[in-house]
Amino acid sequence: MMQRYAVVLAAGQGSRMKSKLYKVLHLVAGKPMVGHVIDQVEATGVNEIVTIVGFGAEKVKEYLGNRTSYAVQEEQLGTGHAVIQAETHLKDREGITLVICGDTPLLTAETLNNLFDYHQEKGAKATILTAHAQNPTGYGRIIRNDKNSVEKIVEQKDANEAEQLVQEVNTGTYCFDNRLLFETLSQVGNQNSQGEYYLPDVIEILKKQNEIVDAYKMVSEHDGLGVNDRVALSEASQLMRERINKMHMKNGVTMIDPATTYIDSGVVIGSDTVIEPNVLLKGNTTIGEDCFIGAHSELSNSTIADGVRVANSTIKDSIMGKNSNIGPYSHLRPNSKIGEAVHIGNFVEIKNASIGATTKVGHLTYIGDADLGENINIGCGTIFVNYDGKNKFRTTIGNNVFVGCNANLVAPLTIEENVYIAAGSTITKDVPTEALAIARARQENKLGYYNNLPH
């Protein structure tokens, strides 16, 4: 197979986004647009990727790292000018070069491989990736001759009445003979209203040289969508969500209402898991089999084992063990590790804490900076007092401990195993094994007090 390369155009500022964030770093399904593009290009097995950066270059490089080589377009002088910045990387190589925009997050590796294969099969020097558009307004039209060969690309502003009716449009993605691409780019001029060097002019030059120019029409109209403003960003996000949700449902996940289920592209979900409406699954979240994720829950960068039930709760950067449950209205903050068969009830907040198997934290409780063993009961209203206004301190509790309601556990504190903490106690000293700790004022009843009050 011929060597294959890719040039990713990611230098544009994206002024129509009206944003301080570099355009290709705007998120679609939780991932920057350029990340989607690089993922799919990598999946085609190309030999090298060169990303053209300009405005915001350092942030793009920081995000993509060593997944790609880079070339800098110092001035934004058009797509042709952008591609020619890659010549120091690719100019003298034999093979096929894919040129793709960093703001086309919906293109798939399957489509790109089909484009590569079609280009090579036809012996073309340039192949345009096209799509059928119900409303082609704004797109360059693909004009074919009576033999169905590509004659030219006509931009919207230059199209006559008949050409404007053409529904086959240019997606801005191409395959080129690599050597010929860079030879031809040197012939592209900027005699246009913008004073820019346009990549589609390469097509016209190659046609005049009687080289083979072809077009591959992809199946989906939407996959080539380029994002230039917030409206297109929302469209791309919706289409990506639909794609992601269908993939999970085909893999055995039940979604009660896919239209209100928001799942980022990196999320993994096991079979026979049920997801209710208005659920958000973000980042690098993994959910096991036979789970239940209730309505209005939000999970981010978390690992959920098999058989877990989440009822209307928020989980971030945390782990839930097999057959555990949480909620409703509870919150796992970062670095919470919940063991197997643990019960986290309603209105519970846990932060930077580990909780052992079969422990129960019923309701209205805060656990921060703590390590809890197995088979512990935490009573309603218990507070782990971990902060003195300047420093955080940890609490450690052994196995088989019973903590009564409305207890305050003031860290640093160690409670050994088989201990009882009396309800309403404020515990400030370590508690040895098998002890009962009581720390509250002794009750005293003043008999006849009512009768001594003035009436």
Side-chain angles (χ1 to χ4, degrees), residues 308-375:
V308 170
R309 295 184 64 84
V310 178
N312 191 7
S313 293
T314 299
I315 301 174
K316 183 176 182 180
D317 300 316
S318 294
I319 297 171
M320 290 193 70
K322 189 174 181 181
N323 297 321
S324 59
N325 64 83
I326 184 172
Y329 308 111
S330 288
H331 187 184
L332 296 186
R333 289 168 59 192
N335 199 32
S336 295
K337 300 178 177 65
I338 309 304
E340 293 189 6
V342 168
H343 167 62
I344 307 295
N346 54 303
F347 299 102
V348 174
E349 181 178 341
I350 299 173
K351 185 269 294 184
N352 191 27
S354 61
I355 298 180
T358 70
T359 288
K360 295 178 176 60
V361 186
H363 33 256
L364 299 164
T365 292
Y366 171 70
I367 300 176
D369 300 296
D371 300 292
L372 281 64
E374 298 181 359
N375 194 35

Side-chain angles (χ1 to χ4, degrees), residues 106-261:
L106 298 173
L107 285 172
T108 65
E110 180 181 9
T111 294
L112 299 179
N113 271 324
N114 289 342
L115 175 62
F116 270 124
D117 292 342
Y118 183 89
H119 175 86
Q120 189 166 345
E121 175 188 323
K122 296 296 183 179
K125 299 303 181 183
T127 303
I128 310 156
L129 181 64
T130 70
H132 177 86
Q134 290 294 332
N135 178 12
T137 303
Y139 288 93
R141 308 302 203 277
I142 304 300
I143 307 303
R144 296 178 181 267
N145 59 26
D146 55 3
K147 297 180 180 178
N148 204 36
S149 297
V150 174
E151 193 67 35
K152 58 182 177 179
I153 302 172
V154 179
E155 298 303 324
Q156 169 79 30
K157 58 182 173 53
D158 299 322
N160 60 36
E161 187 173 338
E163 290 167 339
Q164 288 186 17
L165 297 175
V166 173
Q167 292 182 299
E168 185 179 9
V169 299
N170 179 19
T171 67
T173 299
Y174 310 84
C175 273
F176 293 99
D177 174 277
N178 184 68
R179 280 183 176 273
L180 195 55
L181 169 63
F182 289 101
E183 289 175 9
T184 309
L185 278 170
S186 64
Q187 303 173 44
V188 173
N190 66 340
Q191 289 75 42
N192 52 65
S193 60
Q194 300 297 318
E196 295 184 349
Y197 301 86
Y198 295 134
L199 185 60
D201 289 354
V202 171
I203 302 297
E204 183 178 351
I205 293 170
L206 292 177
K207 285 293 294 182
K208 289 179 179 178
Q209 294 174 351
N210 294 318
E211 301 287 1
I212 298 175
V213 174
D214 214 321
Y216 172 75
K217 186 188 291 187
M218 60 184 175
V219 175
S220 171
E221 168 186 351
H222 304 294
D223 285 3
L225 175 67
V227 175
N228 291 313
D229 57 27
R230 306 290 181 127
V231 175
L233 183 67
S234 69
E235 292 172 359
S237 296
Q238 180 180 348
L239 291 165
M240 184 66 79
R241 286 199 306 270
E242 291 174 359
R243 180 188 295 176
I244 290 168
N245 289 358
K246 285 179 181 178
M247 180 268 291
H248 286 297
M249 288 187 285
K250 288 180 179 179
N251 288 338
V253 176
T254 295
M255 294 183 193
I256 304 304
D257 184 11
T260 61
T261 302

